[in-house]
């Protein structure tokens, strides 16, 4: 479903990007039916981009495309399936043209003790969070390189650089994403294609329901979306949210092990102890039973 709304129906947008920067650009947002992805799609469309929302919940993708102001398309997308991803991209390119911006946002998270996690939960996190990103990059980046322009932005997590008890497989997937993108960025260093990774602390979405925030405050999806737009305007590779997080982690990591571990235990939430299982019941039903 493609829908174009009058600009008079859009909410006022206070992002730092000029409309001319994104006007007419084709942007793809995976996992865009709800939460962070939906807000990213909203801001991109408000800046004049033609935005394709992909989500495994195709109805949510189409509903968001219909509800938001601008030129948007909602399409079913399972990032764990090469066939689904290729069909999604074919649909987008047939409607809008070549893709200028890919936002890898789709993600899932199971929370609890590592030895209670089911095989299905571990496999799904790796399949969506890591292999989904790899698949998107492989399918989209070559065309961008050939055209001489493009930007791939991945919404990862602070778990890419932190150790978070209770999120072992999730952390593994996000560490993997950062490592993968570092390697791809180096391979493309002679290309004008930009690679960026956004690493937020805990965000107020269904994925993080019932989890602790540690020393950082709970972030709003709008904050992450605004960071994505700023990164398009002024490309950077690693973007941590809050901004002090990356420098603090780098500083702490040079300390002696005992001091480093003690500080991290004070700053980073232990989700094994803090998780509210009841608050996560609906979200985690997608993973099936525990091991």
């Amino acid at each position: 479903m493609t829908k174009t709304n009058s600009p008079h129906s859009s909410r006022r947008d206070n992002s730092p990007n000029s409309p001319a920067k994104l006007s007419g650009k084709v942007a793809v947002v995976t996992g865009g039916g709800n939460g962070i992805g939906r807000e990213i799609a909203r801001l991109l469309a408000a800046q004049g981009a033609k935005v394709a929302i992909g989500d495994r919940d195709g109805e949510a993708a189409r509903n968001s495309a219909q509800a938001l102001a601008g030129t948007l398309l909602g399409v079913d997308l399972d990032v764990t399936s090469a066939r689904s991803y290729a069909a999604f991209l074919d649909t987008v390119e047939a409607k809008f043209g070549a893709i200028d911006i890919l936002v890898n946002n789709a993600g899932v998270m199971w929370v609890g003790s590592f030895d209670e996690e089911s095989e299905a939960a571990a496999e799904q996190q790796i399949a969506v969070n890591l292999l989904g990103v790899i698949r998107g990059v492989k399918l989209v980046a070559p065309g961008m390189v050939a055209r001489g322009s493009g930007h791939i932005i991945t919404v990862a997590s602070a778990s890419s650089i932190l150790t978070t008890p209770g999120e072992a497989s999730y952390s593994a997937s996000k560490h993997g994403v950062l490592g993968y993108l570092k390697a791809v960025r180096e391979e493309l260093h002679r290309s004008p294609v930009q690679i960026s990774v956004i690493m937020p602390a805990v965000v107020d979405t269904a994925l993080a329901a019932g989890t602790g925030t540690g020393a950082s405050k709970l972030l709003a999806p709008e904050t992450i979306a605004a960071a994505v737009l700023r990164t398009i305007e002024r490309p950077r590779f690693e973007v941590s949210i809050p901004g002090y997080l990356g420098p603090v982690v780098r500083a702490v990591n040079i300390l002696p092990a005992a001091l480093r571990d003690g500080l991290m235990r004070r700053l980073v939430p232990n989700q094994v102890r803090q998780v509210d299982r009841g608050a996560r019941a609906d979200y985690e039903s997608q993973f099936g039973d525990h091991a």
Side-chain angles (χ1 to χ4, degrees):
M1 177 184 294
T2 308
K3 181 271 313 169
T4 304
N5 283 345
S6 164
H8 298 297
S9 64
S10 64
R11 299 188 306 191
R12 178 172 293 180
D13 178 64
N14 296 316
S15 81
N17 298 280
S18 64
K21 176 76 175 181
L22 290 175
S23 181
K25 296 291 187 181
V26 177
V28 165
V29 182
T30 71
N34 296 285
I36 296 171
R38 189 181 192 276
E39 187 62 19
I40 292 170
R42 184 188 74 79
L43 291 187
L44 289 170
Q47 293 294 331
K50 294 180 284 188
V51 182
I53 297 173
D55 203 291
R56 63 180 178 181
D57 184 346
E59 182 177 2
R62 287 182 284 276
N63 288 343
S64 290
Q66 182 63 31
L68 299 175
T71 302
L72 299 105
L73 172 70
V75 186
D76 291 83
L77 169 62
D78 178 0
V79 299
T80 70
S81 164
R83 179 177 297 180
S84 174
Y85 214 136
F88 166 72
L89 295 174
D90 287 345
T91 299
V92 174
E93 292 184 344
K95 291 283 187 180
F96 290 156
I99 294 165
D100 300 297
I101 301 164
L102 168 63
V103 181
N104 290 309
N105 172 73
V108 295
M109 180 172 74
W110 184 90
V111 177
S113 175
F114 73 91
D115 56 348
E116 294 181 355
E117 180 186 49
S118 70
E119 287 293 315
E123 290 172 1
Q124 189 171 341
Q125 288 170 95
I126 299 301
V128 174
N129 302 349
L130 177 55
L131 296 179
V133 169
I134 291 173
R135 185 168 289 113
V137 171
K138 285 184 174 181
L139 288 171
V140 173
M144 290 180 170
V145 172
R147 292 188 297 274
S149 66
H151 198 159
I152 295 175
I153 301 173
T154 299
V155 179
S157 168
S159 289
S160 297
I161 55 176
L162 294 173
T163 301
T164 310
E167 299 176 3
S169 292
Y170 180 78
S171 293
S173 70
K174 296 301 184 177
H175 274 69
V177 162
L178 180 57
Y180 178 78
L181 294 175
K182 284 180 176 179
V184 171
R185 178 173 178 264
E186 186 60 26
E187 289 188 38
L188 298 182
H189 79 281
R190 296 185 183 277
S191 163
V193 175
Q194 298 288 335
I195 303 289
S196 300
V197 56
I198 311 292
M199 297 178 290
V202 182
V203 185
D204 187 11
T205 63
L207 179 146
T211 63
T213 62
S216 177
K217 68 177 183 179
L218 186 65
L219 300 170
E222 293 84 354
T223 300
I224 315 309
V228 168
L229 262 68
R230 287 194 300 272
T231 302
I232 293 171
E233 178 71 16
R234 297 182 291 276
R236 295 170 52 199
F237 176 53
E238 293 186 39
V239 179
S240 61
I241 308 173
Y244 63 76
L245 185 61
V248 166
V249 171
R250 287 191 290 272
V252 170
N253 281 339
I254 68 174
L255 297 173
L259 183 56
R260 179 187 66 230
D261 291 347
L263 281 172
M264 283 298 186
R265 286 169 187 148
R266 295 174 67 89
L267 296 173
V268 180
N270 186 319
Q271 306 294 14
V272 176
R273 295 199 297 262
Q274 296 184 30
V275 65
D276 180 345
R277 297 240 65 92
R280 293 192 60 77
D282 286 345
Y283 176 83
E284 294 198 353
S285 63
Q286 66 182 297
F287 299 119
D289 296 333
H290 291 194

